[in-house]
Amino acid sequence: MCFRPAEMDTAQPINCPNCGKKIRPTNGVFPSKCPFCKYEADFEDFDPEDDAGAIASPAAPGAPAAPTAPAAIAAPAAPAMPPKPVAPPAPVAPPKA
């Protein structure tokens, strides 16, 4: 049977006061800085009850809107008129020699 310190069983993860992510103790010891945001703090003496309101949870999203019927598909537009024909230029008389 191995020796296990009493605080290892009671050490609960705490939330970083800077980024809000959970920091878990390793072998009953908290790191000196947050592994996620590198915030330096003394997590051994950190009391989560003192800083409970520092990071607020995001608000719950609202209810989704009711589905609507798809829009009616419009008929295609009439084709455009072709451009007016242009008469070819008049022939040019050959030069007289």
Side-chain angles (χ1 to χ4, degrees):
M1 184 174 216
C2 68
F3 173 74
R4 182 175 214 163
E7 65 264 1
M8 281 188 62
D9 294 331
T10 60
Q12 297 295 320
I14 58 172
N15 293 334
C16 173
N18 191 36
C19 67
K21 294 189 178 182
K22 281 190 177 182
I23 301 172
R24 299 188 183 279
T26 305
N27 293 332
V29 178
F30 284 98
S32 60
K33 54 179 151 174
C34 176
F36 304 105
C37 68
K38 307 302 182 208
Y39 176 73
E40 290 193 34
D42 188 11
F43 293 113
E44 291 293 328
D45 298 332
F46 182 72
D47 186 13
E49 305 302 322
D50 292 344
D51 205 25
I55 298 176
S57 297
T68 58
I73 298 175
M81 291 292 295
K84 285 187 171 185
V86 179
V92 179
K96 293 184 182 182

